[in-house]
Amino acid sequence: MLPEGDVMEGFKIRVVLADDHPGMIAGVRHELSSIPSIDLVGIASDSTSLIALLAEVPCEVVVSDYAMPAGDVGDGIALFGLINRRYPDIRLVVLTMLDNPAVLHMLVKQGVQCIVSKSDALTHLVPAIHAARTEGRYYSPSVDKIIRNADSKRSGRNPEGVLSQREVEVVRLYASGLTVNEIAERLHRSKKTISTQKAMAMDKLSIERDIDLLRYAMESGLVPPASVAPGPGPDETT
């Protein structure tokens, strides 16, 4: 039997990081570099390079930002669903600035049990990665507070329990600046389906104008304020 120190020395969790912010990548790299049980084996800056990296580099855990709009594969729920289908043995840790209860509950429903807010200390990534590897659950303090509050108080215009998962994702992508055609391509749905889901979301929220939908997405935290599109294009009335 190996001494305990030798066992720990030989225990490595191979991690791939995906984030489109260089500063965050540098911070995570620094934080994980001193952890003997974690080996950062690859870094991707968008979903396209992440999927390509996973095809070549074996890993046990992916730490990924939620919103990476530059990739061809999509981001958020669509990206995580693709990873789950293609690599069912890989565990996910979502690292995000989004603090909307609907988004966080969507992640939980998707099967993501380890979520770390970028507003919390990066030290929370370490227990989150270890929990993900053992199929456990870990929420950083900000995430845990939001989820608890949402569970005990579901009122107002919070889309959790009002909008479906697909409707929330359509609203998020639309507010991020994508057209209906682009959302349909990214989510692999028809333009008619996306238009219907967008219209149903607006009806449920009692919103009539696209500009109010964009404002709602910003105010409810579905997208950061800087990511909200300036306004609907001429072909985006449906």
Side-chain angles (χ1 to χ4, degrees):
M1 183 175 181
L2 290 174
E4 183 177 351
D6 290 337
V7 173
M8 291 305 297
E9 184 178 351
F11 176 73
K12 287 280 189 180
I13 303 174
R14 294 170 295 184
V15 173
V16 164
L17 169 66
D19 200 291
D20 57 355
H21 298 90
M24 181 58 62
I25 290 175
V28 172
R29 189 201 297 267
H30 175 75
E31 182 63 37
L32 300 185
S33 64
S34 61
I35 309 301
S37 59
I38 295 177
D39 186 12
L40 186 58
V41 297
I43 295 175
S45 59
D46 56 41
S47 60
T48 307
S49 56
L50 172 59
I51 295 301
L53 188 61
L54 293 180
E56 298 181 358
V57 179
C59 71
E60 285 78 43
V61 175
V62 168
V63 175
S64 178
D65 194 359
Y66 184 94
M68 295 187 295
D72 296 332
V73 184
D75 62 354
I77 297 296
L79 172 62
F80 303 147
L82 175 62
I83 293 174
N84 284 335
R85 292 190 301 272
R86 191 170 295 182
Y87 303 101
D89 294 331
I90 291 179
R91 304 304 171 203
L92 284 167
V93 175
V94 174
L95 181 63
T96 182
M97 275 298 296
L98 299 180
D99 58 2
N100 182 267
V103 174
L104 297 178
H105 275 282
M106 279 199 309
L107 289 172
V108 173
K109 290 177 183 178
Q110 180 85 1
V112 178
Q113 296 296 311
C114 297
I115 309 171
V116 175
S117 171
K118 290 183 179 181
S119 64
D120 291 324
L122 284 178
T123 52
H124 289 284
L125 269 180
V126 176
I129 290 170
H130 283 97
R133 180 67 180 91
T134 57
E135 300 186 29
R137 173 183 296 180
Y138 187 89
Y139 302 146
S140 68
S142 295
V143 173
D144 185 65
K145 182 179 179 180
I146 292 167
I147 290 178
R148 287 179 182 273
N149 287 344
D151 286 341
S152 62
K153 177 180 154 183
R154 298 188 183 183
S155 61
R157 300 176 71 197
N158 186 339
E160 170 63 19
V162 177
L163 303 186
S164 70
Q165 175 177 313
R166 292 191 171 192
E167 288 164 354
V168 170
E169 193 70 353
V170 167
V171 171
R172 183 183 76 85
L173 292 173
Y174 180 72
S176 297
L178 297 184
T179 66
V180 167
N181 284 337
E182 290 169 336
I183 297 172
E185 182 178 354
R186 175 168 293 196
L187 299 182
H188 306 291
R189 302 174 202 163
S190 69
K191 178 182 177 181
K192 181 178 179 180
T193 297
I194 297 301
S195 295
T196 299
Q197 289 170 339
K198 174 174 170 283
M200 290 181 66
M202 294 177 71
D203 183 62
K204 289 180 179 180
L205 296 169
S206 299
I207 290 175
E208 297 182 356
R209 302 184 305 167
D210 283 347
I211 189 65
D212 292 327
L213 184 64
L214 301 181
R215 186 178 295 112
Y216 166 80
M218 180 179 68
E219 293 175 350
S220 64
L222 285 177
V223 292
S227 299
V228 176
D235 63 336
E236 293 303 300
T237 57
T238 58

